[in-house]
Amino acid sequence: MKPIEVFKALSNESRLQILQWLKEPENHFTPHEGVDMREIGVCVSQITQKLNMTQSTASQFLSMLQRAGLIKTLRIGKFTYYKRDETAIGEIADFLKQEI
């Protein structure tokens, strides 16, 4: 974990919103083709639609969250699904408690 990358990723309201939505995806998204959103994740197209922005912008936001280690991806066919990396989020919470 690189704390500076995490803080950069969280410094944007939309990226922070994505993480909040992914915490309880069933409250914010409709399941994609019967996919278990807690287990598999949320499709990029669903996130793009909820953000009301272009897919390229949403993909950039998701890439930054992924590089920071805050989300995981899973590719199934032509779809890419995103979900939170709860272990990494726990590590940054511990870092904040211990170091800051």
Side-chain angles (χ1 to χ4, degrees):
M1 173 192 64
K2 296 178 183 175
I4 196 71
E5 293 301 319
V6 172
F7 297 136
K8 283 181 188 178
L10 296 177
S11 69
N12 175 280
E13 187 175 349
S14 294
R15 290 188 296 263
L16 187 57
Q17 187 69 63
I18 291 168
L19 276 181
Q20 291 169 333
W21 291 334
L22 293 178
K23 184 174 184 180
E24 296 176 321
E26 65 280 353
N27 293 337
H28 302 282
F29 302 99
T30 303
H32 187 250
E33 298 180 11
V35 169
D36 180 345
M37 292 183 292
R38 287 265 181 186
E39 185 67 29
I40 301 297
V42 176
C43 183
V44 66
S45 63
Q46 295 169 285
I47 295 168
T48 299
Q49 183 178 16
K50 187 138 177 98
L51 287 171
N52 194 29
M53 57 181 56
T54 65
Q55 184 162 344
S56 65
T57 301
S59 292
Q60 287 175 342
F61 287 169
L62 290 162
S63 291
M64 190 164 197
L65 290 168
Q66 185 181 10
R67 281 192 308 273
L70 297 170
I71 60 174
K72 298 177 183 181
T73 63
L74 177 64
R75 183 117 175 131
I76 301 176
K78 64 180 182 175
F79 300 105
T80 301
Y81 296 90
Y82 296 85
K83 70 177 188 174
R84 289 165 46 115
D85 185 334
E86 296 299 338
T87 301
I89 292 170
E91 288 173 5
I92 196 66
D94 290 343
F95 172 82
L96 288 170
K97 287 179 192 175
Q98 294 171 11
E99 302 294 330
I100 296 180

